[in-house]
Amino acid sequence: MKNKKKPIITIIIGILCLTAIVVGTQVYKNRGGVNVKCSKDYPVSEGLVSYRQDDAAWKDIHLGDSEYTMGSSGCITTCIATAISETGGAMDPGELAVYLSNENVFDDEGNMLWGELDDLAGFHADVYGHGNAEYIDDCLSNGRYPIVKVHRKSLLSYHHFVLIVGSRDGEYICMDPLKDSLTKLSDYGNRIYSVRCVWYKDEMEDFNEHNLDMIKRLPKNKEDTDEFLKTMRLAVIEVDVDGDPCYTTTSVVDFSCDKLYFNCVSFLDYTETDECTPFLTERKIEYINDIKNAVEHIETLNNAETDPYENEYKDLTVKIIIANDDWTIQKFECSVPGSRKDDPGDMLSAFAYKFCDLERY
């Protein structure tokens, strides 16, 4: 009798151990997750294109130089492709994977380098510190689509990324790169582990909206910057003193018509100003050199190992936005100590006084 009981006890112990392992694994995997609940409806756009990461057309494309492919690990890339599918930067997942690989946006393990993605022309990426419904709703309310990390429901569940494309009746609606139809976040327990938001917006849109902070600095090195400046078409120079809107002034140097516009209300229509100065060829060369020198000075200050103004109050901010002949946009920005007009002192202060009206300062 005792010998018959031993196998039964062994089986029971084995089952208990296996159960403990499975439960422990799930608890371990679920650590750090946050339960979220939708409180507002956001309609799902009919123009969004849903993709599968394992589509035969791109499933074998590698993520950068890694061993991982779209089919095995391309859920984030596929989510981004859907998120930008209604924009001027639309690409299918295969095209996007190749583009991001060429731009070194994936590391050696195939992970997305969000900062590198954010540096690409037209792309914008927000990485939130942790997941909550507020971040999700903020993205959706701005017409953007958050990428959230979830667990797929299975015994051996694993992390996966889906794109939230809207909500209705208290449910977030998702595009799952491994599903043929839309799903709900409740299919993954309404539990998320991170939030990322990627969208595409052409730099000229930001330029025309006078949203300087959204314009990306494109040059990767001095050679790229020098080449870009050779075809300078338009230079917008915005200067503010101590962040005070009352002491902010914008000027535009338009090399296509050889005119300098002072005190522009905005550069959406910078010709709407009573202060316009035409300039001759000699002055055009002078202005181009001034702008080049100012850009080089900004780059030097921003890349310096030590801040030469570390112990000084930097109350003068100079922003230079440049468009070249093909309307590629670049932004350069730096803050330095201000000075009086009769003693400009720092090079950027002198540059600001030459091109902008700082009489009020």
Side-chain angles (χ1 to χ4, degrees):
M1 180 68 75
K2 289 183 179 181
N3 290 335
K4 291 183 179 180
K5 287 184 177 180
K6 282 184 178 181
I8 297 175
I9 294 174
T10 301
I11 292 172
I12 293 174
I13 293 174
I15 293 173
L16 291 175
C17 289
L18 181 61
T19 302
I21 291 172
V22 172
V23 171
T25 299
Q26 297 307 307
V27 170
Y28 179 77
K29 287 182 177 180
N30 287 328
R31 72 194 188 286
V34 176
N35 289 321
V36 293
K37 187 68 176 177
C38 177
S39 59
K40 185 178 178 181
D41 284 354
Y42 296 97
V44 178
S45 173
E46 294 182 359
L48 283 176
V49 181
S50 295
Y51 297 104
R52 284 189 65 114
Q53 69 186 76
D54 54 0
D55 188 295
W58 50 72
K59 67 182 180 66
D60 294 324
I61 295 177
H62 284 258
L63 305 180
D65 295 326
S66 75
E67 63 180 298
Y68 300 98
T69 64
M70 284 293 296
S72 66
S73 307
C75 48
I76 292 179
T77 304
T78 306
C79 286
I80 294 174
T82 292
I84 66 173
S85 61
E86 293 181 298
T87 73
M91 289 179 265
D92 67 38
E95 294 170 327
L96 183 60
V98 172
Y99 174 64
L100 297 183
S101 294
N102 290 339
E103 295 295 328
N104 300 314
V105 176
F106 299 109
D107 67 13
D108 292 340
E109 297 297 320
N111 298 308
M112 185 74 66
L113 300 175
W114 299 101
E116 295 296 321
L117 175 63
D118 191 59
D119 279 342
L120 295 181
F123 281 88
H124 307 268
D126 282 342
V127 177
Y128 297 95
H130 58 278
N132 63 40
E134 181 181 345
Y135 295 152
I136 296 173
D137 290 346
D138 180 61
C139 292
L140 292 173
S141 64
N142 284 294
R144 301 164 189 163
Y145 304 103
I147 302 168
V148 295
K149 182 192 285 188
V150 297
H151 268 172
R152 292 174 61 81
K153 279 188 174 180
S154 65
L155 182 62
L156 299 175
S157 65
Y158 56 93
H159 281 142
H160 180 53
F161 288 88
V162 300
L163 184 74
I164 296 181
V165 295
S167 62
R168 60 174 176 265
D169 301 328
E171 291 266 18
Y172 285 117
I173 309 302
C174 307
M175 188 287 295
D176 187 328
L178 289 174
K179 298 285 187 181
D180 289 325
S181 58
L182 296 179
T183 61
K184 299 177 181 179
L185 193 61
S186 58
D187 295 336
Y188 317 95
N190 283 321
R191 193 172 183 83
I192 64 173
Y193 300 83
S194 68
V195 180
R196 307 286 187 263
C197 192
V198 178
W199 68 100
Y200 183 93
K201 190 174 185 182
D202 185 84
E203 265 76 12
M204 277 309 300
E205 294 181 57
D206 295 320
F207 191 75
N208 289 334
E209 292 175 8
H210 197 174
N211 190 353
L212 304 188
D213 292 332
M214 296 295 290
I215 299 172
K216 298 298 174 188
R217 259 190 76 246
L218 299 181
K220 299 291 186 182
N221 53 54
K222 186 178 185 301
E223 288 73 24
D224 290 342
T225 301
D226 289 344
E227 189 64 29
F228 176 83
L229 293 176
K230 289 179 182 178
T231 58
M232 193 187 316
R233 177 189 180 98
L234 194 73
V236 179
I237 303 161
E238 182 176 280
V239 176
D240 72 66
V241 179
D242 217 15
D244 189 339
C246 294
Y247 294 99
T248 299
T249 180
T250 300
S251 296
V252 174
V253 188
D254 190 338
F255 294 106
S256 64
C257 62
D258 296 337
K259 291 181 180 180
L260 171 59
Y261 298 88
F262 290 100
N263 293 325
C264 305
V265 175
S266 77
F267 54 79
L268 180 60
D269 188 358
Y270 53 83
T271 60
E272 289 295 315
T273 175
D274 295 329
E275 301 179 59
C276 174
T277 303
F279 50 84
L280 301 176
T281 302
E282 294 79 6
R283 183 53 64 90
K284 178 177 182 177
I285 295 173
E286 174 190 335
Y287 285 172
I288 289 175
N289 287 332
D290 285 338
I291 293 168
K292 287 182 176 179
N293 290 335
V295 166
E296 183 175 348
H297 190 50
I298 289 174
E299 294 288 85
T300 299
L301 292 174
N302 287 337
N303 294 322
E305 293 184 2
T306 58
D307 184 357
Y309 306 116
E310 185 175 6
N311 299 316
E312 299 182 59
Y313 185 57
K314 295 179 285 189
D315 57 341
L316 184 70
T317 299
V318 179
K319 299 177 183 178
I320 306 174
I321 313 296
I322 299 174
N324 68 3
D325 282 342
D326 64 2
W327 289 106
T328 301
I329 308 301
Q330 295 184 13
K331 171 185 174 182
F332 305 87
E333 178 179 349
C334 192
S335 295
V336 296
S339 60
R340 297 292 180 182
K341 186 175 183 180
D342 55 356
D343 181 23
D346 184 89
M347 175 184 172
L348 284 184
S349 297
F351 174 82
Y353 278 108
K354 180 172 183 176
F355 285 94
C356 293
D357 178 18
L358 292 180
E359 294 287 351
R360 296 168 293 176
Y361 172 47

